[in-house]
Amino acid sequence: MAELTLKQITDKLNSEFTGEVRKLVFWYDANAEFLEDVTTMDLVNAKVLHLEPDNQFYTKYFLECVDTTTNYLVYAPFAKPAIRDNHLADIIKYSKEFFADRASLLTIDLGIDERYKPVIQHYIKFFGEKKRTQAFYDLELETFNRNTIEIALMSVLCKCKTPSYEEVLRTVLTDAGFEDNPYLAEFKKYDLLDAFWRQAQDVFGYADEKPTLEKFTMTMFVTYVTKIISADMPAAWKPFISFKSGNVIAFIDNLMNSYIYGDRFDEISKMVYDRLKAYTEFRKIPVEALVSCGIFAGVDEFLIEWATERLELEDVAAKLGDTTIPQLTKQRRQGHFGKHYANEYFVLQNAWSIISGSQYAPSASLNEMVKNYTSELYKMDRYYRYFYYYLDKLEDATRFDKLKELVENIYANEYLAKICINWNDLFSTERESLQITKQPDFFNRNVNYAKDQLVVIISDALRYEVGMTLLEKLQADEKCTATMKTMASTLPSITQYGMAALLPHRSLELIEDYSVLVDGQKTDTLEQRQAILHKYKPASRCVQYDDIKNLSVADLRSIFTRQDVVYIYHNQIDARGDKLNTENEVFNACAEAVDEISALIRRLTTSANRSRFIVTADHGFIYRRNKLSESDKIGSVAASAGKVNSGEAISEGTREYVLGRRYLLSTEAISTEGVDSTVVGIMMQNKDERKVSYPIGADIFKAPGTGMNFVHGGSSPQEMIIPLIEVKTERGYKETTTAQIALVSLTTKITNLITSLDFVQTDAVNDVVKETTYRIYFVDDNDEKISNEHLYVADKKDKDTVKRVFRLRFSFKNKKYSKNQKYYLVAYDDNNSLEVLRHEIVMDIAFADDFGFGF
């Protein structure tokens, strides 16, 4: 550092007195700090001559007349006089001056050109503390000029490890507010405030007679907007437009997309939006001009409003420029504020899909209907589910009230009612020719002859479209192979019948009370089902998902060890949908069911050594959000049934009934408008001639009991077409990802041959996020390395993000760099050589080829 020892000073002076030519060195020690030391200095080729304020003429006479050959250090324990009072000025002109003041020492020690000493002297107060001085040294500047020195001083005060004005500005903006900013106060204390604003002008084009941080920030945002929005800017904004838009855009983008500072950016953006009165001004701009603007959350409000209005008018062809509504929702979700508006955009996307599919095209045959439903038509049920899934996540969904009514009308009347009628028109005459697997055949076709140990997961009410979501989730994992077939449920499509049909059996029969027996045994409890399964597969178990989900690995293995077949009963959807107070949570339950089943498969693969799975359901369901009107209820059947609880058998004379919302079991067919019936034995595959009656459309029977929006038991694709997913996983498989890294420093320009940058490991290492090694270095546009390479092991387990920040120091090749050439910071995963990061930077290193002189 600049605190030179007496020996270092002596060595420096001796170096000045080398050679044969006589040399005079003047040392004005303003504070007489070395008065006592100067006489003890061991000067090899020179003598010390003490100068006093009143012996200048004698000294001049002595040096020019008395001794004209000896080298002298002329030491003055006072400040150098002004030139009019300095009678030795002419001798000093052909001699040399030596300095041992702090500024001089710093200049000498750092190798700063003498002409920049006044810059160091100007900021000498900064160097009054050793800690600050050391931090300045630690920046290891390669090039010294006024700019680099001032930026380095500001970087130290902002605790930046890289001498970069962008990093300084980032710290000023993100670590404090606009009022009474402590960093600006520090700059003022050390006379750096003018330097800060000068850099603001030089780098970002912000010039103001009375600069403020608020106006500077507004300039940055307005400048960005003028390059993104293709419309005339408000007159009040034009004074804020900078001509250095490239630097502005790069800085704003880096700050906005920063893993660590993104949230603070949101606060700044909101402040600027409000101060600019952007809401009022954007109202005057055509909305299509706003599509590309992603720096204000308020823009999303305008786009959501526009898309909502277009969809309310069923204008699915609407565009903003060349951007359709689906493209808009995807683009905005991927933008910075997508994290805040993702739910709204998903609502719009699914509403668009429902409105676009409002024209229902009937199928000509039952098997064609199955094909059409399993390939395309099921998507309407999925769109409807997702529409409400995301709508329910909004704290205030009133802006979508009209859209909700439109979606409800299209789904219920244009799709659901029509598909149910189309299905039942065909089902009434073609049901016996249905070509897909029927539920009673499940065990023989899929389980009985399986060569591998098998896990059968039966999820209550996992309808086809939810099964498709599960399939896609499983297929997205490279360690998992999944395919899906289609199966038809029993009719009525209820739990008791479906669960029985999925068990091995020789006979399925309905006794007088309409309960179902398997080989003469009841199947209501887990123990009863296990007893039946055990008869056909001695090495087998039946378990409830809730009983095993939190088991230890050892306990889990004890259940599955030496078992050829394990039936797991999962009940998330039906458990919520069948209760009045939770039936509106059924779509949340669907999402949770998908997550739970996929997680269960992963866990059983790793902890129970299972790799073969089948996922299916007992039945599906129909769900509508709006309260059903009286016209949606069929009342005559309920009236004929008398006082009966839903799903219970009653007798009235010689007739027996079991009445549910979507089915009626009886000894005779019910002749009521809007109702059809078939014999029970067709879908149960037995000889039972009793009748099951069901609404032809999506209506329900008037029946006692709670819950009318979530229903099943009837005849419809949603209730009867169920998924049969076959899954094969790799043993030892666990769905994992590697720990990712991201650049924290906002640096877009490299100005030193040695530069330090901050990175962050974005996720903590845990059981599903695995450590990995990254190779990190800089390259030119030909992918030639221009820096040293770092091997960084991403293995941090800290949950606190700040503790996962790490710094790497890069040394660049000493060569000439072009500002017009592209250079990149790159990172590669060392395990697979995949590029995970590429950040463009500008190389602005003056005379890096060693041929310059630092002017």
Side-chain angles (χ1 to χ4, degrees):
M1 271 179 44
E3 306 295 333
L4 293 180
T5 66
L6 187 61
K7 182 180 184 305
Q8 288 174 310
I9 293 174
T10 303
D11 291 344
K12 179 66 177 173
L13 287 169
N14 280 327
S15 69
E16 298 290 345
F17 292 113
T18 57
E20 300 297 325
V21 178
R22 184 206 188 198
K23 294 179 181 178
L24 303 176
V25 176
F26 284 79
W27 179 4
Y28 286 95
D29 183 7
N31 297 316
E33 294 179 52
F34 298 93
L35 181 60
E36 295 181 1
D37 299 319
V38 72
T39 56
T40 64
M41 289 182 181
D42 186 17
L43 298 181
V44 175
N45 193 29
K47 295 180 180 180
V48 178
L49 182 64
H50 290 269
L51 179 65
E52 301 294 339
D54 57 357
N55 74 345
Q56 293 187 63
F57 281 118
Y58 174 76
T59 301
K60 182 179 179 69
Y61 167 76
F62 179 81
L63 293 174
E64 292 189 335
C65 298
V66 177
D67 187 349
T68 59
T69 59
T70 305
N71 294 329
Y72 279 101
L73 169 65
V74 182
Y75 175 78
F78 52 85
K80 183 179 179 180
I83 193 166
R84 68 170 64 182
D85 300 321
N86 192 346
H87 305 298
L88 299 173
D90 57 336
I91 298 180
I92 294 174
K93 283 290 186 180
Y94 66 78
S95 302
K96 192 167 185 178
E97 285 188 84
F98 178 76
F99 303 93
D101 58 278
R102 185 176 296 276
S104 299
L105 294 177
L106 286 164
T107 303
I108 294 169
D109 201 29
L110 290 166
I112 300 175
D113 192 283
E114 178 70 18
R115 60 193 168 135
Y116 294 119
K117 176 186 171 183
V119 179
I120 297 295
Q121 185 62 53
H122 181 78
Y123 298 112
I124 200 64
K125 182 179 178 181
F126 171 93
F127 295 100
E129 183 186 76
K130 288 186 177 181
K131 186 177 180 181
R132 285 195 301 271
T133 304
Q134 183 62 57
F136 183 88
Y137 271 69
D138 289 344
L139 293 176
E140 298 182 320
L141 296 182
E142 290 288 329
T143 304
F144 290 95
N145 55 47
R146 184 184 184 89
N147 276 349
T148 60
I149 293 170
E150 289 176 340
I151 290 171
L153 295 173
M154 289 185 282
S155 297
V156 170
L157 294 177
C158 290
K159 296 181 174 61
C160 301
K161 300 304 179 184
T162 302
S164 161
Y165 181 69
E166 287 87 349
E167 278 293 290
V168 168
L169 179 58
R170 189 274 304 160
T171 303
V172 170
L173 290 177
T174 60
D175 284 7
F178 294 138
E179 302 296 331
D180 301 321
N181 188 282
Y183 294 105
L184 296 191
E186 283 286 284
F187 295 162
K188 184 176 182 180
K189 178 179 178 180
Y190 296 104
D191 203 18
L192 281 161
L193 198 54
D194 287 342
F196 176 80
W197 294 122
R198 187 166 56 253
Q199 287 295 321
Q201 181 173 356
D202 292 346
V203 178
F204 297 110
Y206 171 66
D208 196 325
E209 290 184 1
K210 296 181 178 180
T212 68
L213 196 56
E214 182 179 313
K215 288 190 288 183
F216 181 21
T217 308
M218 291 167 70
T219 295
M220 302 276 276
F221 275 80
V222 170
T223 301
Y224 190 107
V225 167
T226 59
K227 293 298 180 180
I228 299 299
I229 295 180
S230 57
D232 290 336
M233 290 295 101
W237 292 12
K238 291 184 178 178
F240 293 104
I241 300 175
S242 162
F243 66 95
K244 293 198 172 183
S245 58
N247 289 349
V248 169
I249 290 172
F251 178 83
I252 292 291
D253 278 343
N254 286 333
L255 184 62
M256 177 171 59
N257 298 324
S258 168
Y259 182 79
I260 291 181
Y261 310 117
D263 290 341
R264 174 57 180 154
F265 173 86
D266 296 353
E267 297 173 10
I268 297 170
S269 172
K270 177 65 166 60
M271 182 281 294
V272 172
Y273 189 81
D274 292 340
R275 300 291 174 85
L276 290 172
K277 296 181 172 55
Y279 176 82
T280 302
E281 298 299 341
F282 283 162
R283 277 285 178 203
K284 304 171 186 176
I285 296 175
V287 68
E288 57 265 24
L290 301 176
V291 173
S292 299
C293 182
I295 63 170
F296 293 124
V299 169
D300 290 278
E301 295 287 342
F302 283 102
L303 298 176
I304 290 168
E305 178 183 332
W306 172 83
T308 303
E309 289 175 352
R310 301 322 304 165
L311 290 177
E312 287 173 355
L313 296 173
E314 301 185 49
D315 184 6
V316 292
K319 291 184 178 181
L320 289 175
D322 295 328
T323 305
T324 64
I325 291 177
Q327 291 170 336
L328 176 71
T329 60
K330 182 178 180 180
Q331 290 172 9
R332 299 305 293 191
R333 286 200 314 273
Q334 294 173 343
H336 174 73
F337 288 103
K339 61 182 181 289
H340 298 303
Y341 291 98
N343 293 330
E344 285 88 344
Y345 285 120
F346 276 123
V347 166
L348 292 170
Q349 176 183 316
N350 286 285
W352 182 91
S353 297
I354 289 171
I355 296 168
S356 298
S358 60
Q359 299 301 315
Y360 179 76
S363 299
S365 70
L366 187 61
N367 288 310
E368 180 186 310
M369 162 72 83
V370 172
K371 181 180 178 180
N372 290 341
Y373 184 79
T374 55
S375 61
E376 286 296 326
L377 294 175
Y378 77 90
K379 294 177 183 177
M380 282 291 281
D381 297 309
R382 174 189 275 189
Y383 298 144
Y384 184 77
R385 170 165 65 91
Y386 280 146
F387 176 83
Y388 277 107
Y389 176 76
Y390 291 107
L391 190 73
D392 291 344
K393 289 179 176 293
L394 300 177
E395 291 185 10
D396 181 8
T398 54
R399 72 198 304 175
F400 296 119
D401 281 351
K402 289 183 180 179
L403 186 60
K404 174 184 169 184
E405 290 305 311
L406 175 62
V407 165
E408 195 67 34
N409 179 60
I410 290 174
Y411 180 76
N413 300 320
E414 299 301 321
Y415 168 71
L416 190 58
K418 291 181 179 179
I419 195 174
C420 287
I421 292 171
N422 188 194
W423 167 271
N424 283 310
D425 283 348
L426 300 169
F427 188 74
S428 64
T429 57
E430 301 177 28
R431 50 187 171 247
E432 295 189 57
S433 63
L434 194 59
Q435 293 176 357
I436 58 174
T437 300
K438 295 183 177 63
Q439 217 167 26
D441 294 327
F442 167 77
F443 183 85
N444 281 335
R445 291 195 176 190
N446 299 280
V447 181
N448 196 27
Y449 304 106
K451 295 180 180 179
D452 298 323
Q453 292 176 319
L454 185 64
V455 177
V456 178
I457 302 171
I458 303 172
S459 184
D460 204 328
L462 186 79
R463 70 179 182 183
Y464 185 86
E465 60 92 5
V466 182
M468 183 62 75
T469 301
L470 173 60
L471 175 72
E472 292 167 357
K473 185 177 180 69
L474 295 171
Q475 288 178 332
D477 194 321
E478 61 182 13
K479 298 295 184 69
C480 177
T481 302
T483 58
M484 188 158 84
K485 300 176 183 177
T486 307
M487 187 162 62
S489 77
T490 61
L491 186 62
S493 49
I494 58 176
T495 299
Q496 185 185 23
Y497 289 18
M499 291 298 185
L502 291 169
L503 288 167
H505 58 269
R506 294 184 181 85
S507 67
L508 289 173
E509 61 176 315
L510 276 62
I511 57 178
E512 291 183 1
D513 64 358
Y514 289 92
S515 61
V516 63
L517 300 181
V518 171
D519 298 344
Q521 297 183 356
K522 286 185 174 295
T523 62
D524 300 327
T525 67
L526 187 70
E527 291 74 15
Q528 291 169 342
R529 295 173 188 173
Q530 181 164 312
I532 294 168
L533 180 62
H534 196 266
K535 288 181 180 179
Y536 290 82
K537 288 285 185 180
S540 64
R541 290 285 295 270
C542 289
V543 295
Q544 293 284 1
Y545 167 79
D546 288 343
D547 293 337
I548 67 169
K549 63 181 180 181
N550 295 321
L551 288 181
S552 66
V553 172
D555 290 341
L556 200 62
R557 285 179 178 171
S558 69
I559 290 175
F560 287 83
T561 299
R562 293 187 296 276
Q563 303 297 336
D564 293 332
V565 179
V566 177
Y567 270 41
I568 300 175
Y569 293 96
H570 175 267
N571 190 8
Q572 179 66 264
I573 300 170
D574 203 64
R576 300 262 277 280
D578 265 346
K579 296 182 178 64
L580 179 62
N581 61 336
T582 59
E583 67 174 344
N584 280 353
E585 298 175 13
V586 68
F587 289 156
N588 285 332
C590 290
E592 291 170 19
V594 169
D595 290 341
E596 288 177 353
I597 295 170
S598 60
L600 176 64
I601 290 172
R602 288 197 301 271
R603 186 156 188 249
L604 294 181
T605 301
T606 57
S607 300
N609 201 28
R610 289 295 187 269
S611 61
R612 282 286 313 280
F613 302 85
I614 292 178
V615 183
T616 189
D618 52 349
H619 58 77
F621 66 88
I622 287 176
Y623 175 82
R624 285 173 286 177
R625 176 57 61 92
N626 276 8
K627 184 178 180 181
L628 273 64
S629 64
E630 286 302 308
S631 63
D632 295 317
K633 302 172 187 176
I634 301 172
S636 58
V637 174
S640 67
K643 295 181 179 179
V644 60
N645 291 326
S646 176
E648 292 185 0
I650 63 102
S651 63
E652 184 179 300
T654 59
R655 181 180 287 177
E656 299 237 348
Y657 303 87
V658 173
L659 179 62
R661 294 291 187 191
R662 287 278 297 162
Y663 69 95
L664 178 70
L665 283 167
S666 61
T667 55
E668 299 177 12
I670 303 301
S671 179
T672 301
E673 185 179 356
V675 177
D676 204 347
S677 61
T678 185
V679 295
V680 170
I682 289 179
M683 300 307 292
M684 292 292 289
Q685 292 189 339
N686 59 24
K687 298 183 182 300
D688 198 316
E689 293 296 322
R690 283 172 289 186
K691 303 297 190 292
V692 54
S693 300
Y694 44 85
I696 295 173
D699 316 65
I700 64 171
F701 291 138
K702 277 189 177 180
T706 60
M708 290 184 286
N709 294 77
F710 174 88
V711 292
H712 60 87
S715 176
S716 69
Q718 292 78 7
E719 296 164 286
M720 293 187 66
I721 295 180
I722 55 178
L724 199 164
I725 306 173
E726 295 180 331
V727 185
K728 183 173 178 58
T729 58
E730 293 185 17
R731 291 190 182 273
Y733 149 77
K734 179 179 284 189
E735 186 181 36
T736 61
T737 59
T738 54
Q740 303 296 301
I741 61 171
L743 180 65
V744 173
S745 300
L746 301 186
T747 303
T748 57
K749 183 185 295 184
I750 300 296
T751 58
N752 289 286
L753 286 176
I754 299 177
T755 297
S756 295
L757 297 177
D758 286 340
F759 298 79
V760 63
Q761 180 182 310
T762 58
D763 298 294
V765 168
N766 53 43
D767 59 340
V768 294
V769 178
K770 299 302 180 182
E771 70 176 60
T772 191
T773 301
Y774 290 102
R775 293 184 180 272
I776 309 170
Y777 50 90
F778 284 81
V779 298
D780 60 19
D781 55 4
N782 294 317
D783 274 344
E784 293 292 329
K785 283 185 185 179
I786 60 171
S787 76
N788 61 313
E789 178 183 288
H790 283 282
L791 274 179
Y792 175 74
V793 180
D795 60 355
K796 289 183 169 64
K797 298 180 180 180
D798 305 274
K799 293 184 179 179
D800 185 353
T801 302
V802 175
K803 293 181 179 179
R804 298 197 302 273
V805 173
F806 61 95
R807 180 172 297 117
L808 299 178
R809 181 182 176 190
F810 296 91
S811 297
F812 293 89
K813 290 182 178 179
N814 205 340
K815 54 178 278 187
K816 191 175 183 64
Y817 295 97
S818 170
K819 293 182 182 179
N820 299 320
Q821 186 177 353
K822 290 184 178 181
Y823 302 91
Y824 303 93
L825 168 68
V826 295
Y828 290 87
D829 190 326
D830 196 43
N831 293 328
N832 52 29
S833 298
L834 288 177
E835 182 180 296
V836 296
L837 174 68
R838 180 168 286 256
H839 177 74
E840 185 174 341
I841 52 96
V842 173
M843 296 296 291
D844 188 14
I845 301 177
F847 305 106
D849 56 357
D850 278 338
F851 292 102
F853 299 95
F855 297 138

